[in-house]
């Protein structure tokens, strides 16, 4: 997608040296566009855990380049066996991270060490290119849903939570891809953007992305979604996800479950957009089996923004002695999900429908 007229992906290999890795530092958005150059797997691991890059598909793609950097420095079996678990430990909930690392490990084990660096860069590039194509397909399938909702309406109001836009993937996004396509197709879409405390991905990333693309949007605090649904001001909800079980339970940014409950109570369709790399075929029960990342309490007890004089400011908003819990994700049970928007089409959130949509992947895991 474009930033001020220039097309970007969210990750790429440096044009000048053709081996180091460039990312957009998302901790600096929307205030500054900083593009650090990453040269070691340790820097990649830090970028993922400190959330310079975030969003399930993008952390998978970034980890793939972490393996490529490691193989460039040392293509031995030992180096491969060390870097994969090191990168896998950076964030626990998004299955795409492990999916990408397993894919890299499988691809590289088939090569002798002398060929591994080139093979690793090629595989990481393939993961990125496939992600773009996958998200474009998700966008096209989701566009059909928005088109259907647009019949007889002046405007389609879509609520989204967190950021599942182009900067959460390599390009296009998952939840936002259908919205970009609808906007580009001339459909009058308007997005209600949840704040998404504690890290405010909605305010700082989704609002920024939508604004850069000219998509009309309104930012709302996390607690306002139910109110707008009760008033008939939300036509559909579309969110992304970090892991979907084979039975259709959905882990996504903390607060997603409450939006799904409010959507069900108000008859608002609740869709989840995902690439099939986000499906964990090994588990069925999301609540019991998906590991939920617990992040630092400081993300809850403080808030960071831009002071009126332009400087960045972090302020404490909680009494000094209060403790804080910070689960980063929650699980929305499949029964609250109206449909899963995948690269192969839209399917019901249940085991039979998912296995029918992806028989190759479901069988592969069972074998
Ligand atoms: C296409 S991104 C899907 C999800 O990863 C997204 O909705 C989300 O919850 C991101 O969480 P984050 O903690 O910002 O990585």
């Amino acid at each position: 997608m474009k930033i001020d007229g220039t097309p970007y992906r969210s990750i790429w290999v440096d044009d000048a040296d053709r081996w180091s890795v460039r990312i957009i530092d998302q901790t600096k958005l929307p205030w500054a566009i900083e593009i650090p150059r990453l040269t070691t797997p340790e820097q990649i691991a830090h970028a993922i855990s400190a959330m310079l890059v975030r969003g399930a598909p993008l952390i998978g793609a970034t980890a793939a380049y972490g393996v490529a950097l490691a193989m460039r420095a040392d293509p031995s079996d030992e180096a491969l066996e060390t870097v994969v678990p090191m990168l896998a430990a950076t964030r626990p909930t998004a299955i795409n991270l492990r999916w990408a690392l397993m894919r890299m490990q499988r691809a590289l084990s088939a090569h002798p060490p002398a060929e591994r660096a080139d093979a690793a860069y090629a595989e990481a590039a393939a993961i990125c290119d496939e992600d773009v194509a996958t998200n474009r397909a998700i966008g096209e399938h989701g566009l059909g849903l928005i088109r259907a909702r647009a019949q007889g309406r002046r405007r389609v109001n879509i609520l989204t939570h967190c950021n599942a836009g182009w900067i959460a993937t390599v390009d296009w996004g998952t939840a936002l891809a259908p919205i970009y396509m609808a906007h580009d197709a001339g459909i009058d879409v308007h997005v209600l953007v949840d704040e998404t405390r504690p890290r405010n991905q909605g305010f700082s990333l989704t609002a920024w992305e939508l604004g850069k693309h000219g998509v009309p949007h309104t930012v709302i605090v996390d607690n306002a979604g139910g109110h707008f649904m009760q008033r008939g001001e939300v036509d559909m909800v579309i969110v992304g996800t970090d892991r979907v079980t084979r039975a259709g339970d959905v882990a996504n940014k903390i607060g997603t479950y409450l939006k799904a409950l409010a959507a069900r109570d108000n008859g608002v369709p609740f869709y989840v957009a995902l690439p099939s790399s986000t499906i964990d075929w090994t588990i069925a029960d999301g609540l019991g089996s998906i590991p939920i990342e617990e992040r630092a309490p400081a993300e809850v007890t403080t808030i960071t923004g831009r002071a009126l004089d332009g400087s960045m400011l972090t302020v404490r908003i909680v009494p000094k002695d209060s403790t804080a819990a910070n689960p980063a994700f929650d699980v929305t049970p499949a029964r609250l999900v109206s449909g899963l928007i995948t690269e192969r089409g839209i399917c019901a959130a249940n085991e039979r429908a998912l296995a029918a949509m992806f028989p190759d992947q479901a069988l592969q895991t069972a074998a």
Side-chain angles (χ1 to χ4, degrees):
M1 305 292 278
K2 290 184 181 159
I3 305 177
D4 302 331
T6 306
Y8 279 89
R9 283 185 173 188
S10 58
I11 185 166
W12 65 97
V13 173
D14 185 81
D15 291 334
D17 66 31
R18 304 180 81 80
W19 67 269
S20 63
V21 177
R22 295 284 188 170
I23 57 164
I24 300 169
D25 181 350
Q26 300 190 24
T27 65
K28 300 295 190 319
L29 292 173
W31 313 111
I33 295 168
E34 290 185 12
I35 300 184
R37 176 171 173 265
L38 308 179
T39 58
T40 66
E42 289 74 22
Q43 288 175 347
I44 293 273
H46 170 75
I48 297 172
S49 56
M51 294 177 64
L52 281 68
V53 289
R54 25 81 38 215
L58 179 57
I59 62 181
T62 308
Y65 275 114
V67 175
L69 290 175
M71 292 299 95
R72 185 176 182 271
D74 173 3
S76 66
D77 287 351
E78 298 71 44
L80 185 57
E81 273 154 32
T82 306
V83 75
V84 166
M86 189 270 279
L87 290 166
T90 50
R91 293 196 74 188
T93 304
I95 192 72
N96 306 62
L97 177 63
R98 266 146 288 272
W99 170 86
L101 287 168
M102 289 309 108
R103 179 167 158 173
M104 293 297 287
Q105 196 162 32
R106 246 192 335 269
L108 298 183
S109 315
H111 288 274
E115 294 173 6
R116 279 188 187 154
D118 286 349
Y121 277 96
E123 194 67 18
I127 286 174
C128 289
D129 290 346
E130 285 169 30
D131 185 63
V132 178
T134 294
N135 297 331
R136 190 178 291 118
I138 289 170
E140 279 156 7
H141 294 301
L143 170 60
L145 289 173
I146 299 176
R147 228 188 256 293
R149 297 298 292 183
Q151 299 304 320
R153 279 189 174 75
R154 195 185 69 77
R155 156 168 276 206
V156 182
N157 291 298
I158 304 172
L159 183 140
T160 193
H161 191 69
C162 194
N163 172 265
W166 74 266
I167 53 171
T169 63
V170 178
D171 206 352
W172 281 108
T174 56
L176 296 195
I179 293 172
Y180 287 130
M181 288 189 186
H183 174 78
D184 292 351
I187 298 170
D188 185 8
V189 275
H190 167 256
V191 185
L192 284 166
V193 179
D194 278 354
E195 165 188 28
T196 320
R197 273 286 284 156
R199 292 184 66 97
N200 299 327
Q201 288 95 327
F203 277 8
S204 59
L205 304 177
T206 300
W208 174 79
E209 267 197 35
L210 292 172
K212 289 286 175 202
H213 200 79
V215 181
H217 62 279
T218 303
V219 296
I220 57 174
V221 296
D222 284 328
N223 295 327
H227 165 81
F228 285 107
M229 290 184 208
Q230 284 177 320
R231 293 165 65 105
E233 292 175 32
V234 181
D235 297 308
M236 62 200 297
V237 177
I238 313 181
V239 297
T241 170
D242 285 74
R243 193 184 300 220
V244 171
T245 71
R246 66 171 184 270
D249 290 348
V250 169
N252 192 47
K253 181 53 55 190
I254 193 79
T256 302
Y257 170 54
L258 287 176
K259 296 303 144 72
L261 283 174
R264 174 55 55 95
D265 193 44
N266 290 283
V268 174
F270 182 92
Y271 288 101
V272 179
L274 64 138
S276 56
S277 51
T278 302
I279 304 168
D280 185 344
W281 297 102
T282 67
I283 57 175
D285 168 27
L287 256 186
S289 309
I290 298 178
I292 300 294
E293 178 179 11
E294 183 73 30
R295 293 191 61 87
E299 291 183 351
V300 174
T301 57
T302 65
I303 197 156
T304 300
R306 195 174 200 175
L308 295 181
D309 66 2
S311 62
M312 292 305 297
L313 205 59
T314 298
V315 293
R316 189 169 171 104
I317 53 173
V318 172
K320 153 164 107 18
D321 297 328
S322 298
T323 54
N326 188 11
F329 300 94
D330 61 23
V331 175
T332 298
R335 66 187 154 76
L336 297 178
V337 177
S338 309
L340 301 170
I341 310 171
T342 77
E343 70 268 29
R344 292 194 191 165
I346 293 152
C347 81
N350 65 53
E351 188 155 356
R352 205 166 35 80
L354 272 169
M357 182 74 83
F358 297 99
D360 44 335
Q361 298 182 24
L363 291 175
Q364 214 177 49
T365 312

